Amino acid sequence: MARTDKIVGYSPTGKLADVTPDLAASGVETAFRMLEGRWKMVIIFHLFDRQVLRFSELERAIPGVSQKMLIQQLRDLERDGIVERQIYAQVPPKVEYRLTDWGQAMCPALDSLLEWAAQKPASPADPAPAA
Amino acid sequence: MARTDKIVGYSPTGKLADVTPDLAASGVETAFRMLEGRWKMVIIFHLFDRQVLRFSELERAIPGVSQKMLIQQLRDLERDGIVERQIYAQVPPKVEYRLTDWGQAMCPALDSLLEWAAQKPASPADPAPAA
DNA sequence: CGGGATCCGGCACGATACTG
DNA sequence: CAGTATCGTGCCGGATCCCG
């Protein structure tokens, strides 16, 4: 896995071993920054689960979130092309949110991360899970 | 992909479709929180690339990082079981950092993320990459 | 109902200086 | 060399009030 020689640029294969540490780091960091935020994951998973949700539905589905944060993180996700917003010009406003195709496409990656996290060996300093 | 029925608990398979939105979200969020931080990715990728590095080597490899941030994020990573620290009782102190097995194990997940990020369709609001 | 603006507090981040 | 201590700051997240 490890490599010691230099690589010229950003590998289109996306393999970590093919890019320099800084390039790979910045690439993954960029992806991370899109997803970091107290509520983005919750939003994403709810949309992944329900496919399409209105603002108020999301608000109710996520207890503890403020409208500001909800709208803010939704905007971010929208701006990053992860979620789509559909507005209906109605008397009671109606806005639907759903994942974009690309947004759906990140689920395997999240899967990997979830699996990795689940494989965590009980750290030596962890509190023993006694009864 | 989508599921509508309820799931009882945390799926050992780690598949997103097998867990409730909140569980999956919290799981991935937990993983994310371990990796978020201005320098963690850079550290991880450098260690992944070089396998083992001393403190000063990391410091030199990562321009712009302060000792405080470096040590802090290294501590976090160590506490989370992602990196290992090896101290040599010498007159000039010598400490080596490397990824744990589990830390290495997350690279496929980062790969997925990198790949996903690379697949991003040019967003409609993106500045046209003109000459 | 959906969206926004403003104010505020905490903490991540960072610069600098000091120590074993 | 490998940290620690202290101080400062910006930005994130939250409460509250306001608008279409």
Side-chain angles (χ1 to χ4, degrees):
Chain A
M1 284 277 275
R3 43 157 292 275
T4 37
D5 48 4
K6 287 303 178 55
I7 301 295
V8 286
Y10 202 100
S11 164
T13 72
K15 292 303 170 192
L16 298 185
D18 293 343
V19 296
T20 60
D22 296 290
L23 275 178
S26 67
V28 176
E29 246 187 314
T30 303
F32 257 76
R33 310 216 106 194
M34 291 184 186
L35 301 175
E36 79 180 271
R38 181 69 186 79
W39 307 102
K40 289 192 182 164
M41 285 298 171
V42 202
I43 294 171
I44 288 169
F45 281 102
H46 272 282
L47 288 178
F48 176 69
D49 182 52
R50 302 286 307 281
Q51 299 170 68
V52 49
L53 285 171
R54 302 182 51 171
F55 183 89
S56 51
E57 289 177 321
L58 273 170
E59 196 177 353
R60 260 176 284 112
I62 307 174
V65 71
S66 64
Q67 296 94 330
K68 174 192 174 181
M69 289 321 293
L70 187 52
I71 193 67
Q72 181 179 295
Q73 313 240 322
L74 277 169
R75 295 290 156 152
D76 287 353
L77 291 171
E78 190 190 358
R79 201 170 49 79
D80 290 333
I82 294 171
V83 309
E84 275 174 345
R85 190 165 65 130
Q86 187 166 354
I87 314 102
Y88 295 85
Q90 297 181 355
V91 187
K94 175 179 173 184
V95 180
E96 287 180 348
Y97 293 92
R98 74 196 68 210
L99 293 179
T100 64
D101 290 344
W102 188 58
Q104 296 266 354
M106 85 171 138
C107 290
L110 296 185
D111 247 14
S112 303
L113 213 63
L114 205 53
E115 216 167 324
W116 169 73
Q119 285 168 1
K120 173 169 185 171
S123 61
D126 258 2
Chain B
M1 284 275 274
R3 44 154 293 274
T4 39
D5 49 2
K6 289 302 179 54
I7 300 296
V8 285
Y10 202 101
S11 164
T13 71
K15 292 304 170 191
L16 299 185
D18 293 343
V19 296
T20 61
D22 296 290
L23 277 177
S26 68
V28 176
E29 246 187 315
T30 303
F32 258 74
R33 311 216 107 192
M34 290 185 185
L35 301 175
E36 79 179 272
R38 180 70 188 78
W39 306 102
K40 291 195 181 161
M41 283 299 172
V42 202
I43 294 171
I44 288 170
F45 281 102
H46 273 282
L47 288 178
F48 176 68
D49 182 53
R50 302 285 307 281
Q51 299 169 70
V52 49
L53 286 170
R54 304 180 52 168
F55 184 87
S56 53
E57 289 176 320
L58 274 170
E59 196 177 353
R60 261 177 284 114
I62 307 175
V65 71
S66 64
Q67 297 93 331
K68 175 194 173 181
M69 288 322 292
L70 186 52
I71 193 67
Q72 181 179 296
Q73 312 240 326
L74 278 169
R75 294 288 148 134
D76 286 353
L77 291 171
E78 190 189 358
R79 200 172 47 80
D80 290 332
I82 294 171
V83 309
E84 276 174 345
R85 190 166 63 132
Q86 187 166 353
I87 314 103
Y88 295 85
Q90 297 180 357
V91 187
K94 174 179 172 182
V95 180
E96 287 179 347
Y97 293 91
R98 74 196 69 211
L99 292 179
T100 63
D101 290 344
W102 189 59
Q104 296 266 355
M106 86 172 138
C107 290
L110 296 185
D111 248 14
S112 303
L113 213 63
L114 205 53
E115 217 168 324
W116 169 73
Q119 286 167 1
K120 173 169 185 172
S123 61
D126 258 3

